[in-house]
């Protein structure tokens, strides 16, 4: 499968809350099978669903994760992680631990990160991102 887009946590969250909203509309306009997410994002969303206590949101998340490919971390994510973290620490612009892993996963896949958190990811060299919520 050739993926083109990796959905970040806030984008997946919006898709869960608004199943027919902007994110869904954007996905409907692109090639089938070109969208995926990271296991890190799935972990964050599952935590959020459990923490919220909302059975409706949990069920909606489960429906989405049944059809949205959730990719595992595997090499060269570790190499990308080391390079990104070193660069960000040297530049004095660190990002959150999970965002760092998501960025490394995205760079290892060489695809576009779909996020509403562009400010956090703009410090990561060579990372391509789009915000589908604008």
């Amino acid at each position: 499968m050739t993926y083109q887009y990796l959905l970040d946590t806030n984008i997946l969250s919006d898709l869960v809350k608004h199943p027919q909203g902007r994110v869904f509309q954007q996905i409907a306009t692109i090639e089938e099978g070109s969208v995926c997410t990271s296991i890190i994002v799935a972990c964050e969303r599952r935590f959020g669903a459990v923490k919220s206590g909302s059975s409706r949101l949990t069920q909606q998340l489960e429906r989405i994760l049944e059809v949205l490919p959730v990719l595992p971390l595997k090499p060269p994510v570790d190499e990308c992680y080391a390079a990104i973290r070193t660069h960000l620490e040297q530049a004095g612009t660190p990002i959150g631990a999970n965002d760092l892993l998501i960025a490394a996963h995205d760079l290892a896949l060489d695809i576009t990160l779909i996020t509403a958190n562009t400010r956090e990811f703009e410090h990561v060299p060579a990372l391509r991102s789009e915000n589908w919520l604008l």
Side-chain angles (χ1 to χ4, degrees):
M1 184 66 57
T2 303
Y3 300 110
Q4 296 176 328
Y5 305 101
L6 183 118
L7 303 184
D8 187 21
T9 308
N10 49 34
I11 298 297
L12 187 57
S13 180
D14 188 79
L15 183 59
V16 169
K17 291 177 186 171
H18 310 286
Q20 301 298 314
R22 287 182 171 169
V23 174
F24 174 82
Q25 296 299 322
Q26 185 66 32
I27 290 171
T29 68
I30 58 179
E31 184 178 329
E32 185 177 338
S34 64
V35 177
C36 63
T37 197
S38 170
I39 187 65
I40 303 301
V41 171
C43 289
E44 288 186 320
R45 284 311 316 135
R46 285 188 190 280
F47 168 71
V50 169
K51 186 177 176 181
S52 77
S54 169
S55 61
R56 183 188 70 77
L57 290 179
T58 300
Q59 290 172 1
Q60 181 61 20
L61 176 63
E62 291 303 323
R63 282 192 291 273
I64 291 168
L65 292 178
E66 285 175 7
V67 297
L68 180 68
V70 177
L71 305 184
L73 297 179
K74 59 184 183 178
V77 172
D78 53 334
E79 294 172 15
C80 293
Y81 176 93
I84 295 166
R85 185 167 178 183
T86 300
H87 170 82
L88 294 177
E89 285 186 4
Q90 289 174 347
T93 57
I95 62 176
N98 284 346
D99 285 344
L100 180 58
L101 283 167
I102 292 165
H105 200 180
D106 183 78
L107 284 178
L109 295 168
D110 192 27
I111 60 179
T112 302
L113 180 65
I114 306 304
T115 183
N117 192 8
T118 54
R119 188 168 181 211
E120 181 88 345
F121 291 105
E122 70 185 8
H123 301 289
V124 178
L127 184 94
R128 296 182 311 270
S129 68
E130 295 179 12
N131 184 349
W132 287 357
L133 295 178
L134 293 178

